[in-house]
Amino acid sequence: MSLTIQFNKIGTSLGTRDLGARIRVSIESEIEKNDKVFLDFKDVEVITNSFANECFGKLRESISTETFRNKVAFINTNDFIQRVIISAL
């Protein structure tokens, strides 16, 4: 079973560490319940380094590399968001 988390329902600009932490907890829970979790950034314009570090950097630290690679997929990222996520990982 797979799940898609649509970040545009949270906002088009994602910026705070607090928001990143809340979303990370939700993603961790969904990774346990699903075979694949798609993180969809359609219509999201900007994410900050703080948000990405808290959400994706700490997510990456909390699960194994194999689990991260097999269960997490980033989709519909623009060039800017892609660069911020890569730097956080």
Side-chain angles (χ1 to χ4, degrees):
M1 191 162 111
S2 69
L3 173 81
T4 300
I5 297 174
Q6 297 174 327
F7 280 77
N8 65 358
K9 291 186 176 177
I10 301 160
T12 58
S13 178
L14 307 172
T16 67
R17 224 171 245 291
D18 182 55
L19 179 61
R22 289 196 316 259
I23 293 171
R24 182 187 74 247
V25 170
S26 173
I27 294 170
E28 288 169 341
S29 171
E30 295 302 339
I31 287 172
E32 291 176 16
K33 295 186 276 188
N34 293 279
D35 296 324
K36 190 84 169 183
V37 177
F38 294 95
L39 307 179
D40 187 353
F41 288 87
K42 182 176 188 269
D43 298 327
V44 176
E45 297 167 15
V46 174
I47 64 172
T48 65
N49 288 320
S50 296
F51 175 87
N53 288 336
E54 193 66 36
C55 191
F56 310 121
K58 290 189 176 178
L59 173 65
R60 174 63 194 84
E61 293 171 2
S62 74
I63 61 177
S64 72
T65 299
E66 183 179 347
T67 299
F68 190 84
R69 284 188 181 145
N70 292 333
K71 288 194 164 196
V72 179
F74 295 91
I75 59 174
N76 297 316
T77 55
N78 64 32
D79 290 343
F80 175 79
I81 291 173
Q82 195 170 11
R83 283 193 303 271
V84 173
I85 291 170
I86 289 168
S87 74
L89 298 176

